[in-house]
Amino acid sequence: MSMITSTTWVPRGFAAPFPTKYTFDEAEFERIADLAKLQLEDAQEGLQEAEEAEADGSGSKKKKRSSKPEKEEAAMKVDEPEDIEIDDDLKEYDLEHYDNDDDEAQGEAQQMGMFGNVKSLAYYESNKDDPYITLKDEGDEDEREELQILATDNLVLATKIEDELAHLEVYVYEDESDNLYVHHDIMLPAIPLCVEWLDISVGKSGVEKDSVANFVAIGTFDPDIEIWDLDTVDCMYPNAILGQGGNAEEDGKKKKKKKSKKANDEYHVDAVLSLAANRKHRNLLASASADKTVKLWDLHTAKCAKSYSYHTDKVCSLAWHSVESTVLLSGSYDRTVAIADMRAPTEQPQRVGVESDVENVKWDPHDPNCFFVSTENGIVHYYDVRNASKDPSASKSIWKLQAHDESVSSFDLNTVIPGFMATGSTDKTVKLWNIGPQGPSLVVSRDFDAGRVFSTTFGPDPEVAFRLAVAGSKGTVAVWDTSTNAGVRKFFAQKMPSTIGEPKVEDRLVGVADDESSSEDDEEDDEESEDGNVAHSMDEDEN
């Protein structure tokens, strides 16, 4: 069984052209020992207890076992046959050693035949140095080197569960060659629930604290948040851990310290459900948890700067405002969305209320006054923040859309193309929408055979603005070039005339297992609406 719980893109130009391979030296050992002091001491205690228990029980066991060899030796002596005189006619055949001689001779012959000429073999690091290879491969110079990432490549990060193992898969997406492959992966200690790309260095020695970097933060069922360097391959331990797991024990305290389950101001005590990096204040990372709190972390110190408790149930989604960089949007299972200024932790935030549990929240990238909310009932709401109040029941949305029959588990707004929205649902479908002045209209609906869809994300760069990464319960990642769909071209060609045109292949889909474009027959299953018509499932609230 495999499943992908979340994905995110890395913009072009941030990944190192040649990621470094992890080296485990004395300095790295000391860093890991400091970060995981509590875990190492617990392991040592467990080993010591096991050795003591084994030593305590060894005395009695030795007494019982001491008589066993003697009894076995006596039994062997009884069972051993006496020497039998062999007839003179049979001695010449040496039947007692007949099998042994043949096996040894045959074994020696095989060894000489297989490995007798090892020393005479020659090895060359490159085919160019081998004098026996006369036909040179002309394409060798154009091939990319091992682990190389080009400036035109995008990275796609996917948190995956496979056969009870959890890891982060780092994909390289080559748009021009329709190629998607796993570059490397990172093993994780618990089931990952959310992932967020960071453009700042965290816990890396010899690097300025505000320098541009390529890192990732991962929230799991464990209350801790792990931060890894994406430019280091085969790393054994994260660069930093945000939470109780990252705090070394204070001197003089008891070694075996159980993790507290009571919410506090220093770390999360339940699963981390969402992460949001502040792109203007780059050292700030917000996290939402099942412990009903929102926490603000300072990545320079890897410590919690502030904790907020204005929700009454699990907090599942976060989004920073793109202009007012201290305003944070948070959605919760208490069926409310809060708009809070992180500079005023004591003030009650503005709120809006919805009909069921919140799944995701996002600001409108093309209108800073508005935001979107998706819910468990398959509805997408569109709100104006200026109409929010401290009473969530008094709020009214600009419009609401019955996008799916089941939960809208993921959705995304295209940051380059205005009015372009994608929604994914546990009903296993992905839908594309055109949001006009009168509301959204359905462009196309498609089943990618990804299972229940948990992630739909648009590419971050203008060159890949029409690319949509889709992943779900079947554990596969696919990148769909939506511009190759006739319905998308019909609605959005005028909005992006310089990057969209008639494609060579209809419905171009790139995946790891099968990187060929899907056939044109898939287009017959697409549900396309007429231009200008609003989808029948969209309801407008009257003011």
Side-chain angles (χ1 to χ4, degrees):
M1 175 185 176
S2 63
M3 175 174 62
I4 291 177
T5 56
S6 61
T7 64
T8 190
W9 291 76
V10 176
R12 296 181 177 184
F14 284 91
F18 294 96
T20 58
K21 290 192 176 182
Y22 176 79
T23 55
F24 188 76
D25 52 16
E26 289 294 333
E28 180 67 5
F29 176 78
E30 292 178 2
R31 184 185 74 86
I32 292 178
D34 291 338
L35 278 173
K37 186 177 180 181
L38 179 60
Q39 293 91 327
L40 292 172
E41 289 178 348
D42 287 344
Q44 290 173 353
E45 274 194 354
L47 178 61
Q48 186 177 356
E49 290 175 359
E51 290 176 347
E52 291 176 355
E54 185 178 356
D56 294 339
S58 61
S60 58
K61 290 180 181 179
K62 284 181 179 178
K63 292 181 180 179
K64 294 180 181 179
R65 293 175 181 174
S66 60
S67 59
K68 186 175 180 180
E70 296 177 359
K71 292 180 180 179
E72 290 181 353
E73 187 177 353
M76 290 174 65
K77 287 182 179 180
V78 172
D79 295 337
E80 279 182 1
E82 296 181 358
D83 293 339
I84 301 174
E85 293 186 2
I86 301 176
D87 189 80
D88 294 338
D89 295 334
L90 297 176
K91 284 183 179 179
E92 63 176 308
Y93 296 105
D94 195 16
L95 297 178
E96 290 181 345
H97 307 93
Y98 179 80
D99 293 332
N100 295 341
D101 291 342
D102 288 348
D103 289 345
E104 290 177 2
Q106 186 177 4
E108 290 177 1
Q110 288 179 348
Q111 289 180 2
M112 291 299 295
M114 293 173 61
F115 306 109
N117 62 342
V118 169
K119 293 182 179 179
S120 64
L121 295 178
Y123 172 75
Y124 298 93
E125 293 185 358
S126 174
N127 288 341
K128 296 178 180 179
D129 301 331
D130 193 336
Y132 293 97
I133 297 180
T134 57
L135 297 177
K136 306 298 181 181
D137 189 355
E138 296 179 357
D140 283 349
E141 298 181 358
D142 297 333
E143 292 180 1
R144 68 168 65 199
E145 298 181 26
E146 183 183 6
L147 299 179
Q148 184 180 6
I149 299 175
L150 303 180
T152 55
D153 292 339
N154 283 97
L155 299 186
V156 180
L157 312 178
T159 53
K160 189 173 185 178
I161 310 162
E162 188 172 14
D163 297 331
E164 299 182 358
L165 295 176
H167 57 279
L168 174 77
E169 288 186 335
V170 181
Y171 292 82
V172 170
Y173 174 63
E174 303 174 41
D175 185 59
E176 294 182 359
S177 56
D178 291 349
N179 191 20
L180 179 70
Y181 64 91
V182 178
H183 184 270
H184 67 277
D185 60 2
I186 298 172
M187 299 301 296
L188 301 174
I191 296 176
L193 300 175
C194 52
V195 60
E196 182 77 344
W197 174 71
L198 305 175
D199 63 351
I200 188 173
S201 178
V202 182
K204 191 170 184 177
S205 59
V207 179
E208 294 184 6
K209 61 181 182 179
D210 288 323
S211 61
V212 176
N214 185 29
F215 278 64
V216 62
I218 305 167
T220 69
F221 264 118
D222 287 346
D224 297 331
I225 302 166
E226 294 194 347
I227 298 180
W228 296 80
D229 184 358
L230 292 174
D231 291 338
T232 302
V233 179
D234 298 331
C235 193
M236 294 176 60
Y237 208 78
N239 290 66
I241 299 176
L242 308 183
Q244 189 174 8
N247 297 328
E249 267 190 322
E250 296 179 6
D251 295 335
K253 288 192 175 182
K254 195 86 174 174
K255 282 188 177 181
K256 276 207 168 183
K257 181 181 178 182
K258 295 183 179 179
K259 289 189 176 182
S260 172
K261 287 295 181 182
K262 185 178 179 181
N264 58 77
D265 294 339
E266 297 179 1
Y267 49 80
H268 287 301
V269 296
D270 209 337
V272 179
L273 303 179
S274 181
L275 296 169
N278 194 310
R279 300 305 175 192
K280 292 194 174 181
H281 306 283
R282 296 167 51 238
N283 65 307
L284 297 182
L285 176 70
S287 62
S289 171
D291 64 10
K292 307 176 186 179
T293 67
V294 174
K295 284 182 168 50
L296 191 62
W297 302 87
D298 185 351
L299 298 178
H300 287 162
T301 61
K303 301 290 184 183
C304 180
K306 196 65 183 176
S307 182
Y308 306 84
S309 303
Y310 43 74
H311 283 291
T312 58
D313 207 337
K314 299 176 182 178
V315 189
C316 58
S317 185
L318 299 172
W320 288 102
H321 196 277
S322 59
V323 179
E324 299 293 335
S325 57
T326 60
V327 175
L328 184 68
L329 197 65
S330 61
S332 169
Y333 287 179
D334 63 10
R335 302 187 176 186
T336 68
V337 177
I339 307 101
D341 192 329
M342 299 289 99
R343 297 171 298 181
T346 58
E347 292 186 11
Q348 282 298 316
Q350 302 289 313
R351 298 176 185 267
V352 298
V354 291
E355 79 293 336
S356 60
D357 293 353
V358 174
E359 290 286 343
N360 289 281
V361 296
K362 288 184 184 293
W363 291 99
D364 187 343
H366 305 284
D367 187 346
N369 294 318
C370 298
F371 61 90
F372 297 81
V373 183
S374 70
T375 68
E376 187 182 24
N377 285 358
I379 297 177
V380 177
H381 298 262
Y382 188 58
Y383 288 95
D384 190 325
V385 69
R386 294 167 293 188
N387 296 332
S389 66
K390 294 186 178 180
D391 180 11
S393 61
S395 60
K396 287 188 177 181
S397 58
I398 299 175
W399 52 256
K400 64 179 181 180
L401 167 72
Q402 184 68 51
H404 294 267
D405 296 330
E406 297 183 15
S407 170
V408 181
S409 50
S410 65
F411 76 96
D412 198 16
L413 287 308
N414 199 299
T415 57
V416 178
I417 306 143
F420 193 9
M421 179 175 72
T423 59
S425 171
T426 53
D427 65 8
K428 303 181 180 180
T429 63
V430 173
K431 295 183 180 180
L432 304 181
W433 306 86
N434 176 36
I435 303 175
Q438 303 301 319
S441 58
L442 181 64
V443 176
V444 62
S445 176
R446 185 169 178 181
D447 186 344
F448 286 91
D449 195 28
R452 290 172 294 167
V453 179
F454 295 141
S455 182
T456 52
T457 52
F458 282 110
D461 303 299
E463 297 85 354
V464 290
F466 280 96
R467 314 302 183 263
L468 182 71
V470 179
S473 61
K474 288 193 176 181
T476 59
V477 176
V479 177
W480 180 25
D481 183 355
T482 60
S483 66
T484 60
N485 180 270
V488 173
R489 293 199 303 274
K490 180 180 179 181
F491 279 95
F492 298 105
Q494 300 301 322
K495 295 185 179 181
M496 293 290 293
S498 60
T499 60
I500 187 171
E502 290 298 325
K504 297 180 180 179
V505 180
E506 286 291 332
D507 281 346
R508 171 183 165 210
L509 183 67
V510 181
V512 173
D514 182 10
D515 61 354
E516 296 180 0
S517 301
S518 59
S519 64
E520 298 182 8
D521 295 336
D522 292 340
E523 190 175 354
E524 297 178 0
D525 297 329
D526 296 342
E527 301 171 14
E528 299 183 7
S529 62
E530 295 295 330
D531 188 13
N533 293 337
V534 179
H536 68 277
S537 57
M538 194 274 293
D539 300 324
E540 292 187 11
D541 291 344
E542 296 181 358
N543 295 329

